[in-house]
Amino acid sequence: MTQLTHLDIADQLAETPTSLRQLLKLVDNDLAQHKVSEDIWCINEVIGHLVWADQFAFTDRIKLMTEKLSDSLPLIDVNQAARDRKDYTKALTDMLDEFTETRKTHVAYIRTLDPDTLSNSAHYKDRTWLASDFLYEWPFHDYGHVTQIMKILRGNLVPYMSDTMRKAVGY
């Protein structure tokens, strides 16, 4: 297996908005905004988190390291950011549009990276991270949240399934 370049990562990340649009094309606002509990994000909050994380968890951190702007990375609170954004009140199409537009900006940034600077590092919590750690974690992060959305979609079907099928699939 060959090492992925920053351009490969940019290509992967560029596809996520299209994939989400396809996955969610039959989802209405009620389902997109529905929270099964206060501590579990709804679909819109997951998308809002992707928007937020692109800037604060990935681009800002990578920039701090590649440009040697800081030897340490600031702490972030993803749950507070989700509360502040209030994405559960927004229309799904607006969330997907925001994600699509902001993702273009971040993909364009990744394409400008100098691969030689991806070995630059900074301290965060209890360890030292490389800029490349955040670059490679970025699509991994996307895939995890796409899976999270798929679990929500699966859970929405459970009430319509027979008891036999619920038991068979572990619900």
Side-chain angles (χ1 to χ4, degrees):
M1 186 166 79
T2 59
Q3 173 86 19
L4 296 174
T5 69
H6 68 292
L7 299 174
D8 296 325
I9 297 297
D11 290 343
Q12 287 183 13
L13 292 171
E15 292 301 316
T16 306
T18 302
S19 298
L20 279 179
R21 282 186 189 279
Q22 182 64 30
L23 181 64
L24 299 172
K25 70 180 181 181
L26 300 177
V27 170
D28 63 15
N29 284 327
D30 287 341
L31 178 55
Q33 298 167 346
H34 177 70
K35 291 175 67 73
V36 295
S37 72
E38 194 54 41
D39 61 334
I40 297 175
W41 290 343
C42 66
I43 291 170
N44 277 1
E45 288 172 311
V46 174
I47 298 168
H49 170 72
L50 291 171
V51 170
W52 180 88
D54 277 3
Q55 184 65 54
F56 299 103
F58 296 107
T59 296
D60 286 355
R61 288 173 169 174
I62 291 168
K63 186 176 282 194
L64 283 171
M65 289 185 273
T66 59
E67 297 178 15
K68 295 185 178 185
L69 300 173
S70 178
D71 291 335
S72 63
L73 302 175
L75 295 175
I76 58 175
D77 185 340
V78 298
N79 291 310
Q80 185 60 52
R83 286 188 295 274
D84 292 346
R85 284 183 53 89
K86 295 181 176 52
D87 293 317
Y88 60 88
T89 67
K90 300 173 184 173
L92 177 59
T93 55
D94 292 342
M95 295 304 306
L96 290 168
D97 289 347
E98 179 184 9
F99 181 51
T100 299
E101 289 309 307
T102 59
R103 178 54 66 95
K104 287 177 189 174
T105 301
H106 297 289
V107 166
Y109 167 73
I110 293 168
R111 293 187 192 287
T112 69
L113 290 172
D114 175 354
D116 292 335
T117 65
L118 293 174
S119 61
N120 292 356
S121 64
H123 191 74
Y124 180 69
K125 292 188 178 179
D126 62 345
R127 66 179 279 227
T128 299
W129 297 79
L130 301 175
S132 62
D133 291 331
F134 287 98
L135 181 67
Y136 291 109
E137 199 268 337
W138 203 336
F140 184 87
H141 178 262
D142 271 14
Y143 299 146
H145 286 299
V146 170
T147 301
Q148 182 181 8
I149 289 170
M150 291 175 74
K151 286 180 181 179
I152 294 168
L153 296 174
R154 286 181 71 198
N156 187 55
L157 297 172
V158 171
Y160 306 102
M161 295 165 55
S162 69
D163 288 339
T164 302
M165 186 54 75
R166 283 186 209 164
K167 289 178 186 169
V169 297
Y171 271 89

